[in-house]
Amino acid sequence: SQWGEENLQALSIQEGEDVTMNCSYKTYTTVVHWYRQDSGRGPALIILIRSNEREKRSGRLRATLDTSSQSSSLSITAAQCEDTAVYFCATESITGNTGKLIFGLGTTLQVQP
Amino acid sequence: GPKVLQIPSHQIIDMGQMVTLNCDPVSNHLYFYWYKQILGQQMEFLVNFYNGKVMEKSKLFKDQFSVERPDGSYFTLKIQPTALEDSAVYFCASSLAHISYEQYFGPGTRLTVL
């Protein structure tokens, strides 16, 4: 598997709290995609972070990428109920350069009111 | 934002039958993908497609699988014949370019093979 350490996790937090989700990967990548998936829907991209960016922000979201440790994280500040979803990290396989995405198992985040 | 549509949303068929899953990608996108997700497991890449040809396929893309996009219409995934282990949700995605670009996903087709 691409993702050596990550297992499917379920996190439950209170509204207003901060949360960080982590991913590690085994093979080299130049970009990490973070997707969220709501129940019954397909994944939707929330942040794409490239190897020349150690950190990237989008609103209350912050992604980091450490290519030396082959890990990435996604943080949500002041979580809201609408942040409840499954969050996936995905890397792009550089073999063949075809855009193939390799997904992690995902983290199920439940934000309680 | 741009949307990818998938038809049907659910399909139940008997083992051995043929099934075609349809995807209507974002109109100006050039790269198309199929992924498979079994409940509780990670999303797995099946195949990608560009300029009328398969670019890359995974081990999950068995000989019974085929893809095409005739005349710029639906991007289809055909399974013939189906097997029990083909039961899963199949997601179609499309992108404008293939490296470091967002892939837009459809809502998925839930396939149940009996």
Side-chain angles (χ1 to χ4, degrees):
Chain A
S1 172
Q2 173 84 352
W3 304 91
E5 302 291 334
E6 185 196 32
N7 291 305
L8 182 61
Q9 294 180 62
L11 297 174
S12 182
I13 61 173
Q14 297 294 314
E15 205 169 23
E17 291 183 351
D18 299 341
V19 64
T20 297
M21 292 165 270
N22 297 298
C23 277
S24 61
Y25 53 91
K26 287 184 175 178
T27 58
Y28 178 77
T29 189
T30 58
V31 60
V32 172
H33 299 233
W34 281 93
Y35 281 86
R36 68 172 279 168
Q37 186 175 21
D38 295 291
S39 181
R41 296 191 173 187
L45 183 75
I46 51 176
I47 284 189
L48 188 154
I49 182 167
R50 297 180 172 83
S51 56
N52 62 347
E53 302 170 307
R54 292 185 59 84
E55 176 182 299
K56 193 164 186 178
R57 293 177 184 268
S58 176
R60 293 182 295 106
L61 305 177
R62 173 178 170 262
T64 66
L65 177 58
D66 185 345
T67 53
S68 62
S69 64
Q70 296 193 154
S71 63
S72 179
S73 71
L74 176 71
S75 299
I76 303 176
T77 302
Q80 301 171 3
C81 290
E82 51 263 38
D83 295 326
T84 293
V86 179
Y87 291 83
F88 294 96
C89 47
T91 58
E92 286 187 18
S93 170
I94 62 168
T95 305
N97 278 329
T98 64
K100 164 186 170 181
L101 290 180
I102 303 171
F103 282 85
L105 284 169
T107 298
T108 300
L109 178 66
Q110 177 80 38
V111 183
Q112 308 279 2
Chain B
K3 290 199 174 186
V4 174
L5 305 177
Q6 290 188 241
I7 302 163
S9 56
H10 293 86
Q11 181 84 53
I12 300 174
I13 59 171
D14 292 323
M15 183 177 61
Q17 285 190 315
M18 181 195 75
V19 67
T20 300
L21 309 183
N22 299 292
C23 171
D24 188 9
V26 178
S27 61
N28 62 335
H29 283 186
L30 302 174
Y31 295 83
F32 313 108
Y33 313 81
W34 284 103
Y35 292 87
K36 176 182 180 180
Q37 187 177 41
I38 294 174
L39 186 64
Q41 298 183 22
Q42 66 200 98
M43 184 95 67
E44 294 192 271
F45 169 83
L46 282 176
V47 66
N48 52 11
F49 191 83
Y50 167 72
N51 198 26
K53 297 176 185 175
V54 169
M55 294 172 64
E56 183 179 359
K57 56 185 179 181
S58 72
K59 292 177 183 177
L60 295 178
F61 194 80
K62 302 178 293 183
D63 292 342
Q64 299 91 316
F65 288 48
S66 62
V67 291
E68 63 176 356
R69 192 183 186 216
D71 300 324
S73 60
Y74 286 152
F75 176 50
T76 63
L77 173 65
K78 183 186 291 186
I79 309 174
Q80 181 178 28
T82 51
L84 295 176
E85 60 265 28
D86 297 330
S87 293
V89 180
Y90 291 84
F91 290 96
C92 170
S94 69
S95 64
L96 193 56
H98 61 299
I99 302 297
S100 299
Y101 269 76
E102 177 176 0
Q103 292 182 21
Y104 290 82
F105 283 78
T109 293
R110 181 175 298 278
L111 176 65
T112 301
V113 181
L114 302 176

